[in-house]
Amino acid sequence: MRPDVHRWLRRRTYTATAWTAVDLAEARRSQGTTVSVVLPALDEEPTVGAIVRAIREALVHDTPLVDEVVVVDSGSSDRTAAVAAAAGATVVDTASVLPAHGRVPGKGEALWKGLHATGGDLVVFVDADLVGFDPQFVVGLLGPLLTDPAIGYVKALYDRPLTTAEGIVPSGGGRVTELLARPLLNAWWPQLAGFVQPLSGEYAGRRELLEQVPFVSGYGVEFGLLVDLAGRAGVDALAQVDLGTRRHSHQSDAALGRMAGQILQTALARRPAPGPPDPELLQFLRTADGVEAVSWDVSVTERPPMGSVRAGGRSRS
Ligand SMILES: O=c1ccn([C@@H]2O[C@H](COP(=O)(O)OP(=O)(O)O[C@H]3O[C@H](CO)[C@@H](O)[C@H](O)[C@H]3O)[C@@H](O)[C@H]2O)c(=O)[nH]1
Ligand SMILES: O=C(O)[C@H](O)COP(=O)(O)O
């Protein structure tokens, strides 16, 4: 493993249980820091209400860690907006925020408009399709930001079970992550190979930093933010926090193919200066102490066209 990635992993990987909501509420009160939570939502009627309610009960009413919970409705055709509002969220529609900029489809658009529609110094993004959501997710994401001024952006890491018709595969989820995003990141941005879940939809950042980078409109938004924020603030300003396990609703293989296409477009638009890709691939295993990185050499050797070999052989004979 590259020494810089090894150092970063040890220095910038945290566990959500390191903080309590009460401690962080006191930290942010003494700093005068405000916190917004943004949930992008497209047709998430079955799950959005429970997530909003859990955050509001634990982190607005019981302990004052969060100032506002905003659901950004990304053009839902179900009752997402009504359910979110009934649970206590402020609901905005992507079409009504910055109307002069129009509305383009996709998750990243909802996040970008959510950034505009909120006012917190710290902004926490949480997907609205999570199942069994725990408000400690928000506490964990805020922990590094409220306790270390050098950190500007924090991404979630977690185990990702895959729920299938046959049952639950404990670490079968994150298929786009494993098959596309991680290999791409390792090849072209190996300094970011320590991110266990580069596509995680739960992350938090300082507004002053988030407002300096573009937001890709679709599913490339996480990949783009990671690369762009590292470029803007440096890898040491980025951190990850272990939230345990995360379950969500899965998309079809065909939909994941389209997601992968958007991530590929995002990566190609940011491709670093030409040069050989890094041949190391870091993958991660869950251990009793957290996660362990496993390094693989994925370099390939190009054999010449057989015709040229035969021609060379003939000329030698
Ligand atoms: O046009 C859209 C599409 C999705 N969403 C919301 O965005 C969140 C995540 O979308 P989802 O379709 O559930 O994505 P996943 O299949 O979970 O994809 C993973 O990988 C994506 C690519 O990086 C990330 O954007 C996701 O957060 C991450 O969970 C959910 O709340 C959606 O309702 C929108 O608001 N608008
Ligand atoms: O992050 C990913 O790789 C995609 O969201 C797919 O996740 P899933 O395999 O858990 O559905």
Side-chain angles (χ1 to χ4, degrees):
M1 188 191 316
R2 286 164 54 122
D4 60 326
V5 172
H6 187 252
R7 262 195 315 277
W8 180 86
L9 268 169
R10 291 172 65 101
R11 192 173 141 77
R12 292 300 190 214
T13 303
Y14 302 88
T15 305
T17 48
W19 298 281
T20 67
V22 172
D23 291 344
L24 292 187
E26 174 51 28
R28 73 122 180 176
R29 193 195 58 77
S30 65
Q31 296 165 18
T33 301
T34 53
V35 176
S36 304
V37 176
V38 173
L39 293 95
L42 176 63
D43 294 332
E44 304 293 6
E45 179 184 336
T47 46
V48 68
I51 301 170
V52 168
R53 211 168 295 110
I55 296 172
R56 285 184 51 80
E57 278 174 16
L59 307 178
V60 177
H61 295 135
D62 294 355
T63 307
L65 179 59
V66 167
D67 296 286
E68 59 176 348
V69 181
V70 175
V71 169
V72 186
D73 189 337
S74 175
S76 300
S77 53
D78 67 3
R79 296 182 63 255
T80 290
V83 169
T90 302
V91 180
V92 297
D93 191 285
T94 47
S96 62
V97 180
L98 292 174
H101 289 257
R103 174 183 180 272
V104 293
K107 178 191 174 181
E109 171 85 350
L111 299 183
W112 185 65
K113 296 215 165 158
L115 190 60
H116 183 79
T118 52
D121 304 315
L122 303 181
V123 186
V124 185
F125 297 103
V126 177
D127 281 356
D129 66 334
L130 303 190
V131 178
F133 173 78
D134 182 344
Q136 188 67 23
F137 276 25
V138 175
V139 175
L141 291 167
L142 288 169
L145 292 164
L146 284 168
T147 54
D148 187 343
I151 294 177
Y153 184 67
V154 181
K155 272 195 82 81
L157 80 89
Y158 30 55
D159 293 341
R160 303 188 57 164
L162 179 67
T163 308
T164 70
E166 286 77 40
I168 295 178
V169 185
S171 51
R175 292 163 288 174
V176 178
T177 302
E178 301 306 331
L179 298 178
L180 176 76
R182 192 187 307 291
L184 256 180
L185 202 60
N186 278 253
W188 282 348
W189 296 276
Q191 69 277 20
L192 297 174
F195 278 91
V196 179
Q197 291 295 340
L199 300 188
S200 58
E202 294 70 36
Y203 38 92
R206 296 188 195 279
R207 175 176 298 277
E208 60 191 10
L209 182 57
L210 291 169
E211 292 198 351
Q212 291 178 44
V213 291
F215 276 54
V216 178
S217 63
Y219 285 116
V221 64
E222 281 76 27
F223 200 98
L225 283 174
L226 193 55
V227 169
D228 294 345
L229 289 169
R232 167 75 51 176
V235 182
D236 202 49
L238 314 189
Q240 61 186 351
V241 62
D242 191 343
L243 303 184
T245 300
R246 176 236 209 204
R247 288 171 49 226
H248 72 135
S249 57
H250 301 285
Q251 301 199 48
S252 66
D253 288 356
L256 292 184
R258 296 190 287 274
M259 175 190 287
Q262 293 183 346
I263 292 168
L264 186 59
Q265 294 286 331
T266 306
L268 290 172
R270 286 162 174 73
R271 186 180 175 169
D278 196 291
E280 184 183 30
L281 176 66
L282 278 192
Q283 295 177 324
F284 295 89
L285 294 175
R286 173 60 76 183
T287 66
D289 303 329
V291 287
E292 183 190 321
V294 183
S295 169
W296 299 93
D297 180 348
V298 293
S299 56
V300 291
T301 301
E302 300 253 356
R303 294 304 214 169
M306 191 54 77
S308 71
V309 174
R310 292 193 198 288
R314 267 200 298 277
S315 71
R316 273 201 304 276
S317 62

